[in-house]
Amino acid sequence: MDSVLSWWLAEDTRGYQNAQRIAALMATLIGIQVLKLLSPDFEAISYTEFGIDVMVEETSTGDTGKYLFWISMFAAALMMTIRRPMSFAKNLSEQLPLVWLVGIGVVSFIWALAPFISFKRSVMQLILVFTLFATVTYLRDPRQIFLIFYRLSIVLLLLNLLSIPIGVGFDVNGNFRGAMSHKNLFGQNAVLALYFGLAVLWFYKSRVNRMVWMGYMTLWLVLLLLSMSKTSIALLLLVPMLLIVANFVAHLFRMNLGVVIASFVAACFMFVAIGTAWFGVSIKPFLQMFVDDVSLTGRDFIWAFVLEEVSQRWFSGHGLGSFWGIGFNSPNVKYGEGFVVHIHQSHNGYIDLLAQLGVVGMALYLAMLAQMSAHLGKIESNAPRLFFICWLIVLFSLTNNITESSIFRGIHGVWVIQLIMIAIASRVYLDSKRRVDVHIN
């Protein structure tokens, strides 16, 4: 057993504690589940082709297998925490905004449109956060997450390549989707896989086969370009550039990187507000001065509909998991028009968060990001590469949620990985705070 684990983690594991072995196994199983290695999607469904009844049934019912998996992972995490509860409690207590956010989500079934569905989905979020924090807490080295996901992404790459000879790799428009339901979902996974490859090169350079690594990076990049997922392709380059520039400004003015990024976002909003007032036009005509397709392929129509619904329950929302996919009572099914009836997300994670938990949820989510930013700021000098890669992945998730939705969206891969990065930030901050002599960089 130790020989296999030693190969998998690229180090001698004979001196590991049982909790550290279990955590490594859990991280692997979670990666398999998140990347859908056991359930590749070679038969993507378009709900508009099958009618509203099929869409309602598919999106309002849960996957029993996934529930059983996460409950099993939760049970294993609970066993680890019972034996060493203080380590877990300290790690989780460093992210109280996230704890409060999940707590508000659980009690939101009281005012939810679909109380039972909301309670079930919010409990799943509680299980998810508990399990991920426990896994990261008991790992021997949090960097092992990147190696594990890199190895699993090699398998995912092979599955995507397999979709080509069996004739299902490209959608009707000729865009590569591989073993995933949509080209945009493929694009998200491709970018994350490339970032995992970058992390492995930094942390495990001498223990990873260089030829395999080069082939891995090249093939993922080629397939990403074939997917024509414009958002993912753009973010692959823009996110590192933005991070480097923002970090330079942060060092120049001795500010926290999170504050710089938040200031940049606020400046963008101010620019739009001042620009629209100056020219006396609405937002859309103003943005058309800089961007051709300000509708973002019809997303503005979706956003307008959801924001109208949000205005009805702006403070506490419609309940976690109680807006999309709740049967015929889903607001988009009852009140939507055209293609809005057939969708199950607003293609904007922040608008979806407002729809579910209102401004209360949004405030707690921002507080969670602020806490993560503070943690990463404390470890930058001791672990600059870990600081950079955690910010890189989180920033990709945050920017991706402008046009796609993953925040609090079940066990969406981007959401799970964002939570893992937040757990890593808490763990490494605590390690540095306790002056633990662990070689991080």
Side-chain angles (χ1 to χ4, degrees), residues 252-269:
L252 185 63
F253 293 99
R254 298 182 180 180
M255 298 169 63
N256 182 279
L257 178 59
V259 174
V260 173
I261 293 173
S263 299
F264 174 76
V265 173
C268 289
F269 278 107

Side-chain angles (χ1 to χ4, degrees), residues 8-81:
W8 186 244
L9 299 180
E11 67 179 32
D12 190 350
T13 63
R14 286 176 293 181
Y16 275 34
Q17 298 174 3
N18 287 333
Q20 293 169 336
R21 292 187 178 94
I22 294 172
L25 176 60
M26 288 177 61
T28 302
L29 294 175
I30 289 169
I32 291 172
Q33 177 67 27
V34 167
L35 297 177
K36 299 181 179 180
L37 296 183
L38 298 182
S39 56
D41 192 346
F42 290 133
E43 298 179 4
I45 295 176
S46 174
Y47 294 126
T48 56
E49 297 176 4
F50 294 93
I52 190 65
D53 292 340
V54 172
M55 188 278 294
V56 167
E57 182 180 358
E58 288 287 336
T59 59
S60 60
T61 57
D63 186 324
T64 304
K66 289 181 180 178
Y67 284 126
L68 290 176
F69 170 82
W70 284 105
I71 290 172
S72 300
M73 291 295 98
F74 174 73
L78 197 58
M79 289 176 59
M80 289 193 299
T81 57

Side-chain angles (χ1 to χ4, degrees), residues 160-218:
N160 283 301
L161 291 173
L162 179 63
S163 70
I164 298 176
I166 64 178
V168 296
F170 294 85
D171 62 22
V172 293
N173 297 314
N175 301 314
F176 187 78
R177 68 171 183 86
M180 299 172 197
S181 58
H182 194 273
K183 67 168 187 173
N184 289 338
L185 183 58
F186 173 84
Q188 295 169 16
N189 281 269
V191 173
L192 288 171
L194 289 165
Y195 289 164
F196 294 145
L198 175 63
V200 163
L201 181 66
W202 278 348
F203 300 135
Y204 295 91
K205 184 176 181 179
S206 63
R207 288 174 276 179
V208 171
N209 186 293
R210 184 59 65 89
M211 292 300 294
V212 171
W213 181 87
M214 291 180 64
Y216 167 95
M217 298 294 284
T218 301

Side-chain angles (χ1 to χ4, degrees), residues 224-430:
L224 175 60
L225 295 175
L226 289 175
S227 74
M228 295 300 293
S229 178
K230 298 177 182 177
T231 301
S232 296
I233 293 171
L235 292 181
L236 174 66
L237 300 175
L238 289 177
V239 169
M241 292 171 58
L242 175 61
L243 184 56
I244 291 170
V245 171
N247 200 36
F248 172 79
V249 174
H251 281 282
L252 185 63
F253 293 99
R254 298 182 180 180
M255 298 169 63
N256 182 279
L257 178 59
V259 174
V260 173
I261 293 173
S263 299
F264 174 76
V265 173
C268 289
F269 278 107
M270 287 295 295
F271 173 75
V272 173
I274 294 172
T276 53
W278 180 270
F279 290 99
V281 296
S282 61
I283 294 176
K284 190 170 183 177
F286 176 73
L287 292 179
Q288 283 177 331
M289 298 169 62
F290 310 95
V291 182
D292 291 334
D293 182 19
V294 295
S295 71
L296 295 176
T297 320
R299 285 176 172 85
D300 62 337
F301 184 72
I302 305 171
W303 297 344
F305 165 76
V306 180
L307 288 173
E308 176 63 28
E309 295 298 315
V310 167
S311 67
Q312 308 300 316
R313 295 191 178 197
W314 62 271
F315 184 72
S316 57
H318 296 74
L320 182 60
S322 186
F323 188 88
W324 304 99
I326 58 172
F328 287 100
N329 286 325
S330 302
N332 65 306
V333 176
K334 292 180 68 174
Y335 310 117
E337 298 178 357
F339 69 92
V340 171
V341 177
H342 296 276
I343 61 178
H344 52 95
Q345 60 154 311
S346 69
H347 287 278
N348 184 294
Y350 308 103
I351 293 177
D352 274 344
L353 181 57
L354 283 171
Q356 295 180 88
L357 295 177
V359 295
V360 174
M362 180 62 73
L364 288 171
Y365 180 71
L366 294 176
M368 177 196 77
L369 294 176
Q371 186 79 330
M372 178 213 70
S373 178
H375 290 155
L376 291 177
K378 296 291 185 180
I379 70 170
E380 181 181 6
S381 59
N382 295 326
R385 290 179 177 176
L386 190 58
F387 164 86
F388 186 87
I389 199 67
C390 284
W391 258 119
L392 184 66
I393 292 175
V394 169
L395 194 55
F396 168 75
S397 173
L398 297 178
T399 50
N400 182 257
N401 269 281
I402 296 173
T403 57
E404 300 296 334
S405 183
S406 62
I407 301 170
F408 263 121
R409 189 177 167 210
I411 53 172
H412 192 288
V414 176
W415 173 237
V416 173
I417 291 170
Q418 182 182 147
L419 287 174
I420 290 174
M421 295 303 108
I422 290 169
I424 288 175
S426 297
R427 157 74 190 275
V428 179
Y429 165 71
L430 278 176

